[in-house]
Amino acid sequence: MESEMQAAQSTIDPAEVAKFEAMAAEWWDPNGKFKPLHMLNPCRLDYITAQIAAEFDRDLREDRPFAGLRLLDIGCGGGLLSEPMARRGATVIGADAAEGNLPVARLHAEQGGLDIDYRHTTAEALADAGETFDVVLNMEVVEHVADPLDFLTACRRLLKPGGLHLCSTINRNPKSFAMAILGAEYVMRWLPKGTHDWSKFITPDELYDLLKQAGLSPVDRKGFVFNPIAWSWSISDRDLSVNYVTASLAP
């Protein structure tokens, strides 16, 4: 596996990997350093499951609506998205460049009786190995890689024809700096200082352009909006000012 990592790691940013490995033990603590993701996760799952169901004509009322679908969760971390996808019946491969995340993910999945294939690898290595998937989840990762276009191109290579790519990230503007960095890292202290680099944030139009350059066809984008009064997240058709998500199809 180490040689596989070395063979195709052009988009890996070692400094970014180190940040998340340092927090690995707290992935499943809802009040720990990943509290923002735990709070956002129900909203993310609503969008993800709706998009998969629509694209593959699945009924979410069924016990295992994603049975028969092969899904990659790239940058899986501790498995916050891999596990609910597995519970819905998908065959899940969780991949992460931060090796320290994977023992936490594997243990939590085992405790929950879930069979998830967690791998210390990259999108490029998986693509070079000829792996293909019906769905690629690329959530809160693209702002941490060294070359977003190369990374998205690798994700496109991983998709079967007609496959679905879901990508969420953070907009780049004064509001996102105030909320995602000053608010989350300095005021609320939800994340360690330095977790995000504002200069790596990507605007929705920039991401759409990158997705097209990578060979994908963007079909939808929505905002994830935090309400500090209700202390909850919701999906918005219009407000993509901070957190947002895109859906794209492979040719």
Side-chain angles (χ1 to χ4, degrees), residues 77-133:
L80 299 188
L81 290 174
S82 294
E83 290 200 6
M85 294 299 102
R87 289 192 190 95
R88 287 165 173 81
T91 299
V92 178
I93 288 79
D96 206 299
E99 189 172 14
N101 289 330
L102 300 180
V104 177
R106 291 182 182 121
L107 178 61
H108 199 272
E110 182 180 343
Q111 291 172 338
L114 296 172
D115 182 13
I116 299 173
D117 182 1
Y118 285 116
R119 305 182 191 179
H120 176 221
T121 188
T122 65
E124 292 88 349
L126 288 166
D128 288 347
E131 297 269 8
T132 57
F133 301 88

Side-chain angles (χ1 to χ4, degrees), residues 48-50 52-53 58 60 62 64-71 84-85 88-91:
I48 290 167
T49 55
I52 296 175
R58 300 303 175 97
L60 293 175
E62 295 181 356
R64 294 169 59 82
F66 298 160
L69 296 179
R70 193 165 192 254
L71 180 146
M85 294 299 102
R88 287 165 173 81
T91 299

Side-chain angles (χ1 to χ4, degrees), residues 16-203:
E16 295 291 328
V17 171
K19 290 178 188 177
F20 288 91
E21 284 194 316
M23 300 185 285
E26 298 195 45
W27 270 106
W28 287 98
D29 180 357
N31 295 307
K33 290 184 173 67
F34 293 101
K35 182 176 181 177
L37 279 183
H38 283 273
M39 295 171 63
L40 177 58
N41 221 35
C43 192
R44 294 197 303 176
L45 284 170
D46 284 347
Y47 185 83
I48 290 167
T49 55
Q51 290 293 320
I52 296 175
E55 181 60 28
F56 295 98
D57 192 23
R58 300 303 175 97
D59 186 349
L60 293 175
R61 295 170 296 184
E62 295 181 356
D63 287 339
R64 294 169 59 82
F66 298 160
L69 296 179
R70 193 165 192 254
L71 180 146
L72 172 66
D73 182 10
I74 192 74
C76 62
L80 299 188
L81 290 174
S82 294
E83 290 200 6
M85 294 299 102
R87 289 192 190 95
R88 287 165 173 81
T91 299
V92 178
I93 288 79
D96 206 299
E99 189 172 14
N101 289 330
L102 300 180
V104 177
R106 291 182 182 121
L107 178 61
H108 199 272
E110 182 180 343
Q111 291 172 338
L114 296 172
D115 182 13
I116 299 173
D117 182 1
Y118 285 116
R119 305 182 191 179
H120 176 221
T121 188
T122 65
E124 292 88 349
L126 288 166
D128 288 347
E131 297 269 8
T132 57
F133 301 88
D134 299 290
V135 181
V136 171
L137 301 185
N138 176 6
M139 312 296 281
E140 288 82 49
V141 178
V142 70
E143 72 270 24
H144 296 288
V145 301
D147 190 320
L149 178 56
D150 284 353
F151 174 63
L152 292 171
T153 300
C155 290
R156 188 263 302 159
R157 292 171 58 205
L158 287 163
L159 283 165
K160 298 176 183 178
L164 177 65
H165 176 263
L166 299 170
C167 179
S168 65
T169 189
I170 307 175
N171 203 338
R172 188 182 67 257
N173 54 38
K175 184 177 179 180
S176 70
F177 182 82
M179 295 186 67
I181 294 181
L182 293 181
E185 296 182 16
Y186 287 82
V187 178
M188 301 304 296
R189 297 183 180 178
W190 283 337
L191 295 168
K193 295 175 183 178
T195 297
H196 288 113
D197 181 346
W198 184 80
S199 67
K200 287 189 171 186
F201 290 176
I202 302 171
T203 70

